[in-house]
Amino acid sequence: MTTTLNGDRTTRTSTAGTSSASSPTRRLAALGRAEWTLLIRNRTALFVALLMPLIMVVATKSSLDGVDLDKAGMSVVEAALTAGIGMVLLLVVHLNLVSAYVARREELVLKRLRTGEVPDHEILVGTALPAVGLALTQCVLLVVGGVVGMDLSWPRRPDLLIGGIVIGVVLLTALAAVTATVTRTVESAQITTMPMFLVSVAGSGLLVPLEVMPEKMASVCELLPMTGVMTLVRAGWLGGADSTDVMRAVLISLVWMALSVFAVSKWFRWEPRR
C-alpha cells in the first residue's frame, strides 16, 4: 500500500491491483444509493423534485393562454409540455444538486471521500445520480402523458429530443457544481440558484419561445445556457427546426458545458466555506 499527495488531496493506491469491488461502476452505484437514501429522507427536496415540475407545467400553460404562439408554430399544450421538460431539468437537476453539493461539502462528506480512491469526477457524478434518474423519469412521463393524455404526436426526431435532454442533464449538473462553489449554506442555495432559474425561464425560450420575441432580444437570448437545450427539445418533439438551428443549438450548449466543466475543475470547493 502506497500513499501519495496530490495537491490538497491524499490518494491511496494498492500495490495488489484494483479489485472488482472498487470498480468505477460499483463506486458510482454505492454513492448513488447513499444519495438516494438522503434524498427520500429530505421531504423538501423530494417535494421539489416530484411535484414542482408538474405545478410549473400547469402554471406555464395558464400563463401562455394569452400568448399568440402561431408565429412559433406550436399550440399552448405543446409549448407547456416542452417547457415542462426544461422545468424538470432546472428544478430536479440544478436546484436539487446545488443543495446536495453544498450540504455534502459542509458536512465534510466530500472531504472524506477525497481521502479514498474515488476520483473527483466520480464523487460529483455519484452525488448527481438520483437527481438525474428522477429527471429522466419525469421527462419520459411528460412525453408519454402528452402523447397519451393530451393527444400530441410522438416525437418527430427522438434523437434530437434525447440529445437535448442528455446535454441539459450534463450541463445543469456542471452548472450546479459551479453554483455550489459560490453558495455558503444550503439555505442560501435558494438565492444563488435564482438567477439561473429566472434567466432560463424568461430568456431561454422555456416560458416564451424565441420566435415570438423581438428579433434583437431573441438574438441575445440565443446565447443563454438553456436556450440550446430548449431548441433541441422542441425540435425533437415538434419538429420544424432546420439543420443550421440544430447545429447552432448544439454548439452553444457544448461551449457552455466546456466552460462549466473548466470552472468546476478550477474553482470547486471540497471543504467547508468559513
Side-chain angles (χ1 to χ4, degrees):
M1 176 77 70
T2 60
T3 303
T4 60
L5 292 177
N6 182 11
D8 61 340
R9 173 171 183 162
T10 304
T11 305
R12 293 182 177 86
T13 306
S14 174
T15 57
T18 303
S19 65
S20 59
S22 61
S23 66
T25 302
R26 290 177 180 249
R27 291 196 297 264
L28 287 174
L31 286 171
R33 284 194 301 270
E35 285 297 326
W36 174 252
T37 300
L38 293 171
L39 176 61
I40 61 178
R41 289 177 179 174
N42 188 331
R43 295 182 179 180
T44 301
L46 200 60
F47 170 80
V48 170
L50 294 178
L51 296 182
M52 278 300 292
L54 178 60
I55 294 172
M56 294 302 296
V57 169
V58 175
T60 299
K61 184 178 181 301
S62 299
S63 66
L64 289 174
D65 284 337
V67 178
D68 183 10
L69 295 173
D70 291 339
K71 191 175 181 181
M74 66 183 74
S75 66
V76 171
V77 173
E78 290 172 335
L81 286 177
T82 50
I85 292 178
M87 288 292 185
V88 166
L89 296 176
L90 282 171
L91 295 174
V92 180
V93 179
H94 186 260
L95 192 149
N96 265 339
L97 282 184
V98 172
S99 298
Y101 287 141
V102 173
R104 305 302 169 263
R105 182 192 69 208
E106 297 301 309
E107 294 164 357
L108 300 177
V109 174
L110 299 182
K111 183 177 181 180
R112 288 195 296 269
L113 286 173
R114 293 188 89 214
T115 63
E117 61 181 1
V118 186
D120 290 351
H121 67 276
E122 286 186 16
I123 297 173
L124 297 178
V125 171
T127 304
L129 284 179
V132 169
L134 276 178
L136 295 177
T137 302
Q138 291 195 36
C139 288
V140 171
L141 292 176
L142 278 173
V143 174
V144 174
V147 173
V148 176
M150 299 186 178
D151 202 27
L152 298 184
S153 63
W154 285 101
R156 299 180 183 180
R157 290 286 305 276
D159 56 326
L160 294 182
L161 177 59
I162 294 171
I165 293 173
V166 170
I167 289 175
V169 165
V170 176
L171 173 60
L172 288 174
T173 298
L175 284 173
V178 174
T179 307
T181 303
V182 296
T183 306
R184 289 187 174 275
T185 64
V186 175
E187 291 75 17
S188 64
Q190 300 177 28
I191 298 173
T192 57
T193 56
M194 194 58 63
M196 178 67 187
F197 180 80
L198 293 177
V199 166
S200 298
V201 169
S204 292
L206 194 151
L207 183 60
V208 179
L210 266 60
E211 291 84 353
V212 303
M213 293 182 181
E215 185 176 351
K216 291 184 178 179
M217 180 183 296
S219 298
V220 174
C221 290
E222 282 183 350
L223 302 177
L224 296 175
M226 278 289 290
T227 303
V229 173
M230 292 307 303
T231 299
L232 292 174
V233 166
R234 287 203 165 110
W237 195 343
L238 309 176
D242 57 34
S243 57
T244 301
D245 292 335
V246 171
M247 290 303 297
R248 185 187 300 116
V250 172
L251 180 61
I252 292 173
S253 298
L254 292 179
V255 168
W256 276 106
M257 194 184 303
L259 290 174
S260 301
V261 171
F262 172 79
V264 172
S265 65
K266 191 78 173 175
W267 295 297
F268 187 79
R269 299 177 66 97
W270 296 92
E271 299 186 20
R273 297 174 62 94
R274 301 302 184 192

